[in-house]
Amino acid sequence: KARSHSFPSTGCPLLQRKAMIRLATALFALAFSIPSVAQTPDVAIDGVVYGNNGLPMKAVSIELQNKEGKVIQKKKTQPNGRFDFGVDFDLYFEIVLSKEGFESKMLVFDTRNIPASEQEYNYEYGGFRVTLIEGDDTSPAKQVAYILFDPAVGNFVNRDP
């Protein structure tokens, strides 16, 4: 047999209503006192894409690809040309920027060289300013940066290709 639980009746509907309001308030406060377990990405990457006219480009396709060319994440730039990604440590990937009628560009990013002692921190690497030039959109993406963690510096550096 299933058991049924009921609260003792106070006999007064007003007291029952007040008790329910107190219970709901306590549950609401409890829900907001529990810390969030959402994971913060280890490395935050952001930038802005411009056209050769100097204006920000909206709706540029931005793909995060692994070494094998498999797409890990895909986004479009915002109306102001901005894009951002969050990635984990121990990854090698390429950020490919493309739009019909423009030559594609690629940023190579390597988070594999970060010492374990440095992985307790989150990193930001951004402010990329990438300019797409009108031209052949069927040719392979041109690599314009190679970003990796340099333990001697303690941060990410750009080793131009």
Side-chain angles (χ1 to χ4, degrees), residues 13-28:
L14 183 59
L15 289 177
Q16 288 176 348
R17 180 181 162 111
K18 285 182 179 180
M20 291 304 290
I21 290 172
R22 273 188 253 135
L23 177 62
T25 303
L27 289 174
F28 182 78

Side-chain angles (χ1 to χ4, degrees), residues 98-127:
S98 60
K99 185 168 178 99
E100 188 175 326
F102 291 84
E103 296 176 4
S104 298
K105 301 271 179 93
M106 175 178 48
L107 308 169
V108 175
F109 217 100
D110 192 344
T111 65
R112 298 176 297 181
N113 198 28
I114 301 173
S117 61
E118 294 286 328
Q119 291 188 14
E120 65 186 79
Y121 308 106
N122 292 342
Y123 287 87
E124 291 182 23
Y125 194 88

